[in-house]
């Protein structure tokens, strides 16, 4: 047992004995095992002294209820409050405990007056900060309890003092953590056990098996502390302890326990630590990032990358590796704070150095992270910075060329250059060209890579996801279906890697959405609905939340088309409420804007189908507002222009049904201008042509009502001509077929869902 | 002493060492009371002096730093005022306001008057006569737009079957608050006029009953308003706005008013003075040190007073090794009552047996030190500056919120001898040097 655990236990028992009124304390620490033991100790004391012990083990969002219940019904006894069984995110825990402490703070005087007993709140080490910052009145009366500490290996104190210098000798299976753990258990010497556990922890960390690595690292560090006061302690062991602390800091970052991370970084920095300075800087950047100091974090990582030249000059591969890690960190996070192009530049310069690429290629998880980040950065730049994406294409091509000339082919570099070029094309309006490029890349990747996991698989999946999305928009129904079917089948064969499990899951969902959209376009509405329900019926805890939002919008629209309008409206309204909650107070991203536009537009369709044109008008107006607001800030984004167009059309038709003909005509004219521009940008994109046709038919109807028969006839003829050509190109396109069968005089309300390709997500690239 | 006797004694000491407001009118509480502020700097004396000097009316804000015995001293102020011939209404806003939402001047005026209306039922003020003066019925008549319908539940026949209290509705019912705001709209001057007119009627009733209307209104607990994660900045802003933009509206005619406000308001003392033509009293910690040039010297008088306070609560020789140890504990408390009592409780907890040796000062000091959260590097930088200047000089204005949080948590303490100065809590100071 650690000293702090014993001190906490003694202090708790003393308080139980002495205080007969209300008192409050925190049982906080990074390890739940000692906390759990303390709970059992207190429960046993209560049983012995016939004091009621009430264990409030609740979901985080229910914790604050305890505070309210205790003021309404101040039941005497010891109230132990903690998060119940289950996996909760750190954010959810902090929020839940924060609300609990706030609510208790407010009721402090009521507890003091009425509650005979204790409230003991158990949780992570961050509870102390929450108490101090959120609940100062409660903090004023809190009994200060030592942190409960971590569970070291029992018997450390009795371990023999052996001189051992074998730690640097790798065992037979260097990457096998179980072998190291076994070796640690077999040994009686503290130093030996420390070394073995450190290696085990390193192996686990490199596999990203964090939950297994945590206790091993904890034990290793505890052993190091015990060993450090013995004669066995050597400079080599001290160096190993510093490494161990860096790993612990890295783990703490993964666990979002910033306090622990900073403590470890401080511990590792306090002595001579030149060998870990750069890894520490990387972790310090992580800690800063976790604290919300994002610009500072990026600066720290950029500083690490800046040491690349000297690392190469001094021929220190470990320093180069740290610089490579810094470069990946920069790339991963830069676009979060609007510095995508700048951070891409830092990364690109680092990647031009062969030794950096080598360092990354030796660390598969790092390499996977890098490519995921690269895909996201490319997409981000393609939306907001076309100049940067053009430059990115050139950079990637030049690196690909350098890679090929210096060694074996590295198809991922060429693939990403092509992906960048396709992104640039797609957002400039050339989606059909982009799809053609990506199809070529997919074919090449399938020819050149047989592997079904790792970087090659990830690269293929990222390109495939983007191709599937484009196929929905620009391929014929049968071609789109064939491509997506192929992608789905191949995705099934890919094996998940811990680093890619989330992104591959997101891509699978993403492609499923695309499939549902193609089925819808083929008129197979029930089948499309079934595909969505099959893919997204699982509990909400798994999967990509953004895909779920997209799926919900698609489901709402499909339900509307099957006639289940009430359910459709319910689904769409709840999606909108959710999206509003998520985006409140933030700048609207392309993804969320996209959701809002389509959700409001589809909801408008539901109202329009119910003949509630006023409600429909408000919904369409909301869609248009979101589309315009974004489009004005991103003038280069052709997708954004398209969304303005698809929001204009239903609003125009809604006003037409309300008798506001002039306003309807004005909006449809604007839509017509935008649709013509979009078709001109990409004449091979059938979706844009369909949209233009529908707009012409609608305008025809408006002109006719306003008595302009010639304009009406011209618009109708042009629209029908377009539809005829589209039907020849893609006979399976049910949307075109539906439009062709419409009464020329009555383009119905609620048909705007035939336009556009929504909803989609780009999270597949994460 | 047997173990049983020692246990009972420790339990009594534990009760005595609890941080709670003492009721100055209660004999057993009074036995625990010891004056800790010297005459000239005694905040109660300063409040009293202002009230005595301004014959007609005054407004004073008390920026209440936690753990400085403010509520206990308010209890003493109340007793002194009654003894001085004043009529005192002390209202606890905890019962009236929602701690989690920004406060609006319209509600605040209503709440303040409503709370006063309740306190008037005290037999020492108006007793039953106050019923006829009820503020809520008054305001319902003169402002019929107020959503009184939300306070009553009627059956199908239109008969009222249940009524809700105004104060509870204002505190707990967001919808009701919103409707009240809407009903009053921009007619703030009208509302102010209504409240003032009603207040004049109160003063007339007091005059009639007591032959004078020297009323002192103590509005306590506004410092408890905090907000939630999401609303904290807006709540802070609303309190600032309440006093800095609407301060004059809150000053009731021919009445001395004392508001307890959050500690961060001390940072706006100049603006408060301008707005109220009144003053802000920062309730300081006891200055166990005197500033002498750039250095700090132990203030023996204050230490002696704090020793006296400790002796009223606990037989310290049983738990602390010697007087030096006690003085070390007092020094480490920085004059904060909260931490002094906590350290004594920790010392008490460290002496489990009647024959266990008393402990050194280090034991309770370390125990309470660990109760504070770790500091970020930027926090350390700010605290170092405060410690260097014994104040906020040289800090960026962007640090204002951070400083407010430090004051709130007692990480930075406010002192008064000569003039106000600030210092980092002695328990936190080792952390500032550890990282340098």
């Amino acid at each position: 047992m650690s000293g702090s655990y014993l001190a906490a236990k003694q202090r708790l028992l003393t308080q139980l004995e002495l205080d007969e009124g209300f008192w409050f304390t925190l049982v906080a620490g990074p390890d739940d095992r000692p906390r759990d033991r303390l709970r059992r100790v207190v429960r046993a004391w209560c049983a012995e002294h016939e004091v009621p012990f009430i264990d409030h083990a609740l979901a985080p969002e229910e914790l604050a209820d305890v505070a309210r219940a205790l003021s309404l019904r101040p039941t005497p006894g010891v109230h132990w409050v903690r998060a119940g069984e289950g996996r909760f995110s750190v954010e959810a825990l902090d929020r839940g405990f924060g609300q609990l402490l706030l609510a208790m703070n407010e009721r402090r005087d009521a507890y003091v007056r009425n509650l005979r007993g204790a409230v003991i709140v158990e949780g992570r080490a961050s509870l102390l900060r929450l108490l101090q910052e959120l609940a100062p009145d409660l903090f004023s009366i809190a009994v200060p309890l030592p942190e409960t500490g971590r569970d070291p290996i029992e018997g450390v104190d009795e371990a023999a003092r052996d001189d051992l210098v074998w730690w640097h000798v790798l065992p037979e299976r260097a990457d096998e953590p179980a072998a190291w753990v076994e070796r640690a258990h077999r040994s009686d010497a503290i130093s030996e056990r420390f070394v073995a556990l450190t290696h085990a922890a390193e192996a686990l960390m490199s596999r990203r098996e964090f939950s297994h690595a945590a206790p091993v690292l904890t034990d290793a560090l505890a052993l190091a502390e015990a060993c450090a006061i013995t004669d066995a302690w050597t400079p080599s062991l001290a160096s190993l302890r510093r490494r161990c602390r860096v790993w612990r800091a890295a783990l703490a970052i993964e666990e979002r326990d910033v306090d622990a991370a900073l403590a470890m970084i401080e511990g590792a920095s306090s002595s001579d630590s030149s060998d870990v300075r750069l890894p520490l800087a990387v972790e310090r950047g992580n800690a800063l990032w976790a604290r919300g100091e994002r610009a500072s974090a990026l600066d720290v990582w950029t500083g690490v990358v800046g040491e690349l030249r000297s690392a190469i000059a001094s021929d220190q591969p470990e320093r180069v590796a740290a610089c490579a890690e810094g470069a990946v960190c920069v790339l991963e996070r830069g676009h979060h704070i609007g510095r995508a192009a700048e951070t891409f530049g830092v990364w690109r310069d680092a990647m031009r150095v062969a030794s950096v690429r080598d360092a990354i290629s030796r660390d598969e998880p790092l390499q996977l992270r890098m490519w995921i980040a690269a895909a996201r950065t490319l997409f981000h730049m393609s939306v907001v910075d076309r100049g940067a994406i053009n430059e990115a294409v050139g950079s990637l091509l030049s690196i690909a060329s350098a890679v090929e000339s210096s060694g074996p082919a590295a198809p991922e570099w060429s693939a990403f250059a092509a992906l960048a070029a396709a992104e640039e094309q797609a957002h400039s309006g050339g989606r059909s060209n982009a799809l053609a490029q990506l199809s070529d890349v997919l074919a090449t990747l399938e020819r050149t890579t047989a592997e079904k996991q790792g970087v090659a698989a990830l690269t293929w999946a990222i390109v495939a996801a983007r191709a599937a999305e484009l196929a929905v928009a620009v391929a014929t129904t049968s071609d789109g279906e064939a491509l997506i079917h192929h992608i789905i089948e191949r995705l099934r064969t890919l094996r998940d890697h811990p680093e890619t499990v989330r992104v591959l899951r997101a891509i699978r969902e993403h492609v499923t959405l695309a499939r549902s959209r193609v089925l819808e376009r083929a008129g197979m509405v029930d089948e499309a609905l079934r595909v969505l329900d099959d893919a997204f019926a699982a509990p909400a805890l798994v999967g990509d939340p953004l895909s779920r939002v997209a799926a919900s919008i698609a489901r709402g629209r499909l339900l509307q088309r099957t006639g289940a309008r009430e359910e459709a409206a319910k689904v769409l309204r709840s999606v909108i409420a959710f999206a509003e909650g998520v985006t409140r107070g933030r700048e609207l991203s392309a993804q969320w804007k996209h959701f809002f536009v389509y959700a409001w537009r589809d909801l408008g369709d539901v109202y329009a189908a119910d003949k509630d044109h006023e409600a429909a008008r408000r919904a369409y107006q909301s869609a248009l507002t979101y589309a315009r607001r974004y489009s004005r800030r991103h003038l280069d984004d052709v997708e954004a222009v398209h969304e303005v167009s698809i929001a204009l059309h239903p609003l125009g038709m809604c006003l037409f049904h309300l008798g506001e003909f002039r306003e309807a005509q004005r909006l449809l004219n604007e839509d017509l201008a935008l649709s013509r521009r979009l078709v001109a940008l990409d004449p091979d994109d059938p979706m844009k042509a369909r949209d233009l046709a529908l707009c012409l038919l609608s305008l025809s109807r408006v002109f006719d009502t306003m008595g302009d028969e010639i304009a009406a006839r011209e618009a109708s003829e042009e629209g029908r001509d377009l539809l005829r050509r589209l039907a020849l190109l893609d006979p399976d396109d049910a949307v075109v077929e539906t439009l062709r069968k419409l009464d020329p005089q009555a383009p119905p309300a609620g048909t705007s869902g035939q336009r556009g390709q929504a909803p989609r997500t780009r999270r597949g690239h994460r | 002493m047997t173990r049983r006797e020692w246990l009972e004694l420790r339990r009594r000491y534990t009760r005595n060492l609890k941080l709670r407001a003492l009721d100055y009118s209660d004999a057993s509480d009074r036995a625990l009371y010891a004056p800790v502020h010297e005459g000239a700097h005694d905040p109660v004396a300063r409040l009293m002096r202002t009230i005595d000097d301004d014959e007609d009316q005054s407004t004073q804000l008390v920026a209440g730093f936690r753990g400085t015995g403010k509520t206990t001293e308010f209890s003493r102020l109340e007793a002194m005022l009654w003894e001085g011939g004043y009529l005192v209404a002390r209202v606890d806003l905890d019962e009236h306001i929602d701690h989690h939402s920004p406060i609006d001047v319209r509600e605040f005026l209503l709440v303040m008057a409503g709370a006063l209306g309740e306190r008037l039922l005290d037999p020492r003020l108006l007793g039953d006569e106050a019923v006829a003066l009820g503020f809520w019925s008054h305001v319902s008549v003169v402002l019929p737009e107020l959503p009184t319908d939300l306070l009553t539940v009627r059956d199908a026949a239109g008969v009222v079957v249940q009524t809700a209290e105004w104060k509870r509705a204002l505190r707990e019912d967001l919808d009701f608050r919103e409707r009240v705001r809407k009903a009053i709209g921009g007619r703030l001057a009208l509302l102010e006029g209504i409240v003032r007119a009603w207040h004049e009627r109160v003063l007339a009733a007091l005059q009639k009953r007591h032959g004078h209307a020297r009323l002192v209104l103590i509005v306590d607990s506004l410092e408890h308003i905090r907000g939630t994660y999401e609303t904290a900045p807006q709540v802070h802003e609303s309190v600032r706005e309440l006093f800095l933009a609407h301060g004059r509206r809150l000053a009731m005619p021919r009445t001395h008013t004392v508001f307890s406000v959050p500690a961060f308001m001390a940072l706006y003392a100049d603006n408060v003075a301008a707005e109220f033509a009144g003053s802000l009293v920062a309730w300081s910690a006891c200055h166990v040190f005197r500033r002498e040039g750039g250095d700090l010297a132990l203030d023996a008088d204050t230490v002696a007073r704090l020793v006296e306070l400790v002796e009223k609560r606990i037989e310290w020789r049983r738990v602390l090794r010697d007087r030096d140890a006690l003085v070390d504990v007092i020094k480490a408390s920085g004059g904060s009552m909260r931490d002094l009592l906590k350290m004594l409780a920790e010392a008490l907890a460290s002496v489990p047996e009647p024959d266990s040796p008393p402990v050194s000062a280090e034991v309770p000091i370390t125990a309470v030190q660990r109760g504070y959260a770790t500091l970020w590097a930027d926090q350390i930088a700010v605290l170092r500056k405060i410690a260097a200047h014994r104040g906020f000089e040289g800090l960026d204005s962007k640090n204002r919120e951070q400083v407010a949080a430090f004051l709130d948590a007692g990480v930075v303490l406010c002192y008064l001898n000569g003039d106000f100065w600030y210092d980092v809590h002695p328990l936190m100071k080792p952390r500032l040097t550890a990282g340098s």
Side-chain angles (χ1 to χ4, degrees), chain A residues 153 159-160 162 164 166 170-173 176-197 223:
Chain A
I153 294 175
D162 284 350
L164 272 167
W166 57 265
L170 292 173
E172 305 76 18
R173 289 172 291 164
E176 179 50 71
W180 283 113
V181 171
E182 194 185 333
R183 197 158 183 163
H185 286 165
R186 276 206 310 267
S187 174
D188 292 328
I190 307 178
S191 54
E192 211 172 297
R193 290 162 67 192
F194 158 57
V195 170
L197 288 183
L223 284 168

Side-chain angles (χ1 to χ4, degrees), chain A residues 114 264 331 334 356 361 401 459 546 565 729:
Chain A
N114 306 322
M264 279 296 150
L331 183 70
V356 175
S361 69
S401 157
T459 310
L546 286 184
R565 290 201 284 272
L729 281 172

Side-chain angles (χ1 to χ4, degrees), chain A residues 412-432:
Chain A
E412 61 272 15
W413 285 99
S414 307
F416 270 80
L419 184 67
E423 290 290 2
E424 196 279 329
Q425 287 264 342
H427 283 278
S428 311
R431 292 194 295 194
S432 39

Side-chain angles (χ1 to χ4, degrees), chain A residues 128 184 222 236 300 331 395 405 447 455 476 545 588-589 628 719:
Chain A
L128 191 55
S236 302
V300 168
L331 183 70
S395 302
S405 62
R447 270 200 312 277
V455 175
T476 62
L588 200 61
S589 67
R628 277 204 203 281

Side-chain angles (χ1 to χ4, degrees), chain B residues 134-145:
Chain B
F135 175 72
W136 298 121
S137 48
H138 171 75
V139 80
S140 303
V141 171
V142 295
L143 267 180
E145 308 89 314

Side-chain angles (χ1 to χ4, degrees), chain A residues 575-601 618-634 639-641 643-645 647:
Chain A
V575 169
I576 290 166
F578 174 75
E580 282 171 344
V582 171
T583 55
R584 187 167 296 129
R586 294 196 207 161
E587 190 182 348
L588 200 61
S589 67
Q591 180 69 80
W592 286 104
K593 170 267 306 173
H594 179 81
F595 287 153
F596 276 121
V597 171
Y598 280 90
W600 276 115
R601 191 215 45 186
R618 286 194 295 276
Y620 292 139
Q621 187 61 59
S622 297
L624 183 60
T625 303
Y626 277 108
R628 277 204 203 281
R629 198 186 300 159
Y630 187 88
S631 177
R632 281 187 193 126
R633 288 203 308 272
H634 300 88
E639 285 290 280
V641 174
E643 281 162 5
V644 173
S645 157

